[in-house]
Amino acid sequence: MESNKIVYTSFTKFAVAIAVSQGATLSQAKEIIINSFDRHPYAKHISKIIKKVKLEKENLSILSSHCISICEDFGPDRDYITLVLLLESIYKNEVFKDIEKDTIANLINKFKSEINRINANIPPPPLFNVLLETRSVVEWTSMFWLYPFIPKHKSKKSKPVLLMPPYLGNDTSTTFVRKYLKSSGFKTYKWELGVNMINSKSLPKLIEKLDEIYDKHQEKVSLVGWSGGGIFAKIIANRYPEKVEQLITIGSPVWGVKNMKTPIIKTLEFLRGTKIKERNLKFIKELEEIPDLPITCIYTKTDGLIPWKNCMEAETYRNDIKNVEVFGSHCGMGANATVLLTVANALNSNIEKVAKKTIIEKFETLFFPEFWEQKGVSKFTNLFFN
């Protein structure tokens, strides 16, 4: 989340004030709020902010409006859902007395609706990105000679992985990803349902396939979904966390689908005969929930079909949620070397908990946008000698 300190300085003051309004002392309120951030990746930094909070006669509505105003200034961001979920957990805390429960509930619901309003305004991919999708032809053709040179990180455990293709794609679309994972030591499985039309009727068959793989291996299955395939993968992960090891999405809209603006929306509505907003609200609602298991979302800011912000999960909600940016087009992600590396590395790190990167893995960092966003030449020395 951009400018975490500004957002959380405002939010934690609001959260502490809510706790105090429910009968807690200032010190008790701070302790409760600090504990609610226990799985947050920035827990230590936020606890320092909370300890500095000072309250006078604070108006909760004003504090809420101030926090919302800051969020609106920074623009839509999936990480705002972290703030909503934390407020709801604070409200349910058994330590508090029922002093102003209805008032607080209304305040939290208003805060949630305002966050939803902000997040409903993600712009569609610019025309330039749409035109750039033509490079996917180069990405796919070049992968045939580039593939042998991509480093293979052998997994010590032959874990099962179920792959799901993109919208209007089939198992051929995931050929390179499956081939690479297989060469890395994973047991891969196709979805075998023909062309993916993102139809909820495919879910029962996918769940049946998950059961078959789970029973065969007697262990949890990792799910990898590209674009529309990631939608299915996330819903299944939400429904059956006891059978899913982890979730990896590739350019998938994992939230905000109801209000998503995309060049392919008209195509979807033409083929289906109904507007997206009017179709299967239960399906869309399930997609908003965050599975309680490791999640890795791969996205590209030059995506010409899906707004890249819709492809990122709430990384600040838990420390086992990661968003990884890569270079490339949306249609070429199935033949993108950095995507292949990211999927394999995510599967390996979440399963085997590798402590240190090898020299080859450090070198691979050079191919990701995150590395080049760092300033100065020190990024090179820090990478190889730190």
Side-chain angles (χ1 to χ4, degrees):
M1 187 191 298
E2 295 177 314
S3 302
N4 286 297
K5 188 172 181 181
I6 298 174
V7 173
Y8 282 108
T9 297
S10 173
F11 173 75
T12 52
K13 187 172 184 179
F14 174 43
V16 169
I18 286 180
V20 170
S21 75
Q22 294 298 290
T25 64
L26 183 58
S27 59
Q28 287 175 333
K30 288 182 179 181
E31 188 64 29
I32 289 168
I33 307 305
I34 288 173
N35 290 337
S36 68
F37 281 91
D38 62 337
R39 296 184 70 182
H40 198 286
Y42 306 129
K44 291 182 179 179
H45 299 288
I46 294 174
S47 65
K48 292 179 182 178
I49 295 174
I50 295 172
K51 288 175 182 177
K52 294 179 181 178
V53 170
K54 294 181 180 179
L55 294 179
E56 295 178 1
K57 292 183 179 180
E58 306 290 353
N59 184 295
L60 292 177
S61 295
I62 292 176
L63 290 176
S64 175
S65 298
H66 182 253
C67 186
I68 290 168
S69 178
I70 292 173
C71 292
E72 191 157 23
D73 289 341
F74 286 123
D77 196 319
R78 173 59 166 172
D79 279 325
Y80 296 152
I81 193 65
T82 299
L83 310 182
V84 174
L85 295 173
L86 286 170
L87 281 182
E88 291 178 341
S89 69
I90 293 166
Y91 171 77
K92 296 174 184 177
N93 196 304
E94 296 179 356
V95 174
F96 299 140
K97 302 173 184 177
D98 296 331
I99 298 176
E100 298 178 8
K101 280 288 184 181
D102 291 338
T103 303
I104 299 302
N106 291 334
L107 196 63
I108 293 174
N109 287 333
K110 183 180 179 182
F111 183 90
K112 184 177 182 178
S113 65
E114 287 296 295
I115 290 298
N116 289 337
R117 176 183 62 80
I118 294 170
N119 280 341
N121 294 316
I122 297 176
L127 179 60
F128 181 69
N129 283 9
V130 178
L131 296 175
L132 275 179
E133 283 298 313
T134 55
R135 66 190 152 148
S136 63
V137 176
V138 177
E139 290 171 320
W140 277 96
T141 53
S142 63
M143 178 52 69
F144 286 98
W145 64 264
L146 181 63
Y147 181 83
F149 301 99
I150 304 174
K152 310 294 190 299
H153 304 302
K154 273 287 184 181
S155 174
K156 297 177 182 178
K157 303 175 181 178
S158 182
K159 292 282 187 175
V161 183
L162 174 60
L163 294 100
M164 304 174 201
Y167 175 60
L168 296 181
N170 55 23
D171 286 319
T172 303
S173 308
T174 60
T175 297
F176 283 118
V177 184
R178 284 185 288 106
K179 182 179 178 182
Y180 184 75
L181 292 181
K182 189 175 181 180
S183 68
S184 297
F186 294 97
K187 179 61 177 177
T188 62
Y189 291 89
K190 303 176 183 179
W191 95 318
E192 298 178 324
L193 295 176
V195 176
N196 184 357
M197 299 299 294
I198 319 181
N199 193 317
S200 58
K201 293 179 181 179
S202 298
L203 267 174
K205 294 180 181 178
L206 277 173
I207 293 166
E208 184 179 343
K209 189 165 189 66
L210 173 69
D211 290 339
E212 291 174 0
I213 300 170
Y214 180 82
D215 292 340
K216 179 180 178 179
H217 289 266
Q218 289 298 301
E219 61 180 324
K220 294 183 178 181
V221 182
S222 293
L223 304 180
V224 178
W226 173 18
S227 192
I231 293 177
F232 283 121
K234 188 180 181 187
I235 290 175
I236 292 172
N238 269 318
R239 290 188 185 182
Y240 303 96
E242 73 281 1
K243 293 185 179 181
V244 178
E245 181 78 42
Q246 60 181 300
L247 169 66
I248 299 177
T249 62
I250 306 169
S252 301
V254 292
W255 70 282
V257 170
K258 185 178 180 180
N259 299 295
M260 189 173 67
K261 304 174 182 68
T262 165
I264 63 171
I265 201 78
K266 296 298 181 183
T267 305
L268 283 165
E269 292 176 346
F270 173 77
L271 291 173
R272 295 182 171 192
T274 56
K275 290 187 177 296
I276 294 298
K277 291 182 180 181
E278 298 171 358
R279 190 178 177 90
N280 207 330
L281 293 178
K282 180 178 180 291
F283 192 82
I284 293 173
K285 185 178 179 181
E286 278 189 279
L287 192 61
E288 294 294 317
E289 298 173 10
I290 304 174
D292 191 11
L293 44 83
I295 302 170
T296 302
C297 296
I298 304 169
Y299 69 99
T300 170
K301 288 185 178 180
T302 54
D303 196 314
L305 299 183
I306 306 294
W308 60 270
K309 285 192 174 183
N310 288 112
C311 299
M312 301 170 68
E313 191 46 275
E315 199 171 34
T316 57
Y317 183 51
R318 292 197 316 263
N319 52 19
D320 62 353
I321 299 176
K322 307 293 180 187
N323 294 314
V324 181
E325 183 187 354
V326 299
F327 292 116
S329 66
H330 179 89
C331 293
M333 294 185 92
N336 185 312
T338 51
V339 170
L340 269 58
L341 286 167
T342 302
V343 172
N345 289 340
L347 288 170
N348 274 324
S349 61
N350 287 330
I351 291 172
E352 299 178 14
K353 308 298 179 185
V354 179
K356 293 183 179 180
K357 288 185 178 180
T358 64
I359 293 297
I360 294 177
E361 288 175 317
K362 288 184 177 182
F363 181 75
E364 290 166 2
T365 307
L366 296 171
F367 298 96
F368 292 85
E370 184 180 18
F371 176 83
W372 297 104
E373 288 171 0
Q374 300 176 51
K375 296 180 180 179
V377 295
S378 60
K379 58 176 173 275
F380 293 100
T381 54
N382 290 339
L383 178 62
F384 292 104
F385 302 107
N386 194 8

